């Protein structure tokens, strides 16, 4: 198996080297050979390179260093606009204003984004996903002038690495693989699965820096607290509906 | 750029050759080094190899030849069960029973699935996504014994190719790439983007076989009709809520 897959890292620290515009388009073209639902290609990609526009966009990603330092931001959007317009010029009645169609477009979009990241990393580029795209979708849509039926899903911060990046830990594979049926986790299973993560030096530092007792509390109280999740759930749902996908 | 990415094909016709169980686990372990939101790894994977269980599962995929002929079915599930249990044994109060958390888990899951497909294809295996997973999620969850907070998202039919597979066409990359802002499509743009697809021999055959006038009508009237999309929207939404993710 290609060692790249075991060794890949997420890059948050970029050099000033520019990403060639043609290379970027070629990588996106290659990525589009990834699978897509019924070959509908239910996505669009918006490239942000212009410094003025980029400086409008980075606050929607909470000015994360990866977003600010990236040479280019590539926003991957679920897109039924193009397909519906094709139906309309083809005397066909589209019925895609619903949750299942939205989810199909999300799957297509994330598959494209991941294929793009793999291609870019194999070219020596660094990538970092910005999950904030699903938080501040309304503002991002305004900046990128997204029409109805288009919803931003995930953004890739792209550039050449500015130094070494640490490799992230993962739970043991046996912790997420189930044979034949889902084997639910006992408390002992859970402790074993997360023991490696909890023992890490950086985990202990996170706990201390945030004044917490356990690593899980850093997630629940600081990084992904309930209140924030609920606010952004409402924002994203409202926006998806506004873009024309009924969810009832 | 690695030619593989431009040349890859989806495989629906599998040989009888078995997929080695250790190879499958190794590929999943490598795939798990793909990016994941906050390193939470919000997914589980259920492997279906036993012929009895597989014969229960294939009807939920409408007995597609790719599902029936595959050596193994690999169901990728959005999973907040493991993470919430970790919070609970760690004296942390989880707040992940909402739409934004569900979507984060979906992104993690699809990223993992796509990385897995790339790794498998580079190993000479064939893959085919079964989008039907999001249609018949309740039945799949029952067969795979998925607990609360776990939702099946997408399935990969996996095996060794049983012959040549045709390469799918794609729209021109300029048709989905937007520079700086989304440039909405005129009718002329749309006609140009879809002209290549409409001119294909197989497209004309689809139109004729289905007694339609245009290729788009094959999608709207036969393959993905409004009524079906709406039925399965309700089924999936109800199931996601039942599994513990509030959507209001």
């Amino acid at each position: 198996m290609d060692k790249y897959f075991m060794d890949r890292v997420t890059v948050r620290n970029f050099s000033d080297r520019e990403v060639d515009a043609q290379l970027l388009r070629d990588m996106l073209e290659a990525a589009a050979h990834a699978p897509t639902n019924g070959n509908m290609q239910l996505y669009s990609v918006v490239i942000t390179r212009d410094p003025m526009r980029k400086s409008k966009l980075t606050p929607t990603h909470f000015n994360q260093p990866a977003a600010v330092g990236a040479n280019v931001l590539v926003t991957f959007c679920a897109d039924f606009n193009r397909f519906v317009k094709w139906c309309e010029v083809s005397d066909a009645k589209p019925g895609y204003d619903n949750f299942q169609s939205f989810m199909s477009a999300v799957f297509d979009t994330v598959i494209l984004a991941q294929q793009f990241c793999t291609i870019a990393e194999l070219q020596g580029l660094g990538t970092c996903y910005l999950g904030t795209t699903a938080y501040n979708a309304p503002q991002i849509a305004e900046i990128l002038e997204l029409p109805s039926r288009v919803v931003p899903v995930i953004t890739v911060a792209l550039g050449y690495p500015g130094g070494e990046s640490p490799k992230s830990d993962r739970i043991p594979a046996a912790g997420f693989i189930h044979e034949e049926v889902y084997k639910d986790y006992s408390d002992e299973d859970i402790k074993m699965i997360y023991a490696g993560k909890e023992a890490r030096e950086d985990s202990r530092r996170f706990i201390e820096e945030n004044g917490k007792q356990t690593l899980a509390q850093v997630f629940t109280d600081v990084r992904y607290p309930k209140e924030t999740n609920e606010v952004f759930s409402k924002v994203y749902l409202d926006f998806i509906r506004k873009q024309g996908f009924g969810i009832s």
Side-chain angles (χ1 to χ4, degrees), chain A:
Chain A
M1 196 168 323
D2 195 319
K3 252 182 73 63
Y4 153 75
F5 292 100
M6 287 296 284
D7 292 342
R8 69 157 296 284
V9 295
T10 291
V11 171
R12 292 182 178 82
N13 173 18
F14 296 102
S15 81
D16 290 339
R17 183 175 162 196
E18 208 167 307
V19 179
D20 181 75
Q22 187 59 48
L23 172 66
L24 177 49
R25 284 192 295 267
D26 289 348
M27 293 191 299
L28 286 166
E29 182 178 358
H33 289 276
T36 146
N37 185 31
N39 199 8
M40 291 190 281
Q41 297 187 251
L42 302 169
Y43 46 66
S44 271
V45 173
V46 187
I47 297 168
T48 307
R49 185 188 287 277
D50 171 48
M52 281 283 286
R53 197 169 310 268
K54 193 162 159 278
S55 70
K56 278 192 205 165
L57 203 53
T58 46
T60 69
H61 297 296
F62 304 135
N63 292 313
Q64 292 172 67
V68 174
N71 185 246
V72 186
L73 298 177
V74 188
T75 306
F76 290 82
C77 307
D79 187 336
F80 249 111
N81 173 51
R82 185 174 60 245
F83 197 84
V84 164
K85 289 202 156 151
W86 180 51
C87 294
E88 287 169 350
V89 302
S90 306
D91 213 10
K93 279 207 190 79
Y96 305 115
D97 51 351
N98 50 67
F99 182 66
Q100 190 65 243
S101 300
F102 172 69
M103 291 303 286
S104 294
V106 166
F107 298 166
D108 271 17
T109 304
V110 178
I111 286 169
L112 178 75
Q114 180 51 27
Q115 195 79 333
F116 173 76
C117 285
T118 297
I119 292 169
E121 291 178 0
L122 286 169
Q123 288 282 317
L125 285 148
T127 72
C128 178
Y129 278 118
L130 308 177
T132 33
T133 309
Y135 292 1
N136 293 314
Q139 295 89 320
I140 292 169
E142 203 182 325
I143 296 164
L144 304 182
E145 303 182 13
L146 305 183
S148 185
R149 301 189 205 102
V150 181
V151 175
V153 167
I154 205 160
T155 300
V156 175
L158 184 73
Y160 287 91
E164 291 295 301
S165 292
K167 189 174 158 184
S168 292
D169 64 296
R170 293 291 185 260
I171 60 168
F176 68 84
I177 300 175
H178 304 260
E179 306 273 354
E180 299 300 335
V181 292
Y182 190 104
K183 189 178 168 296
D184 207 350
Y185 305 91
S186 69
D187 287 0
E188 283 315 302
D189 294 335
I190 293 289
K191 284 173 191 165
M192 228 147 59
I193 289 168
Y194 290 93
K197 188 184 288 293
E198 288 175 334
R200 288 171 62 94
E201 180 55 37
D202 54 2
S203 298
R204 293 177 190 207
R205 202 176 58 240
F206 291 144
I207 296 172
E208 197 181 303
E209 283 174 0
N210 289 291
K212 294 292 161 190
Q213 271 76 51
T214 68
L215 183 61
Q217 289 174 355
V218 178
F219 284 90
T220 56
D221 301 356
V222 183
R223 297 191 64 188
Y224 305 97
K226 185 178 175 69
E227 301 69 35
T228 312
N229 297 336
E230 288 178 353
V231 167
F232 288 121
S233 291
K234 184 170 165 27
V235 170
Y236 205 37
L237 272 168
D238 285 352
F239 183 72
I240 293 164
R241 288 175 175 130
K242 175 172 168 278
Q243 292 304 79
F245 299 96
I247 299 175
S248 58

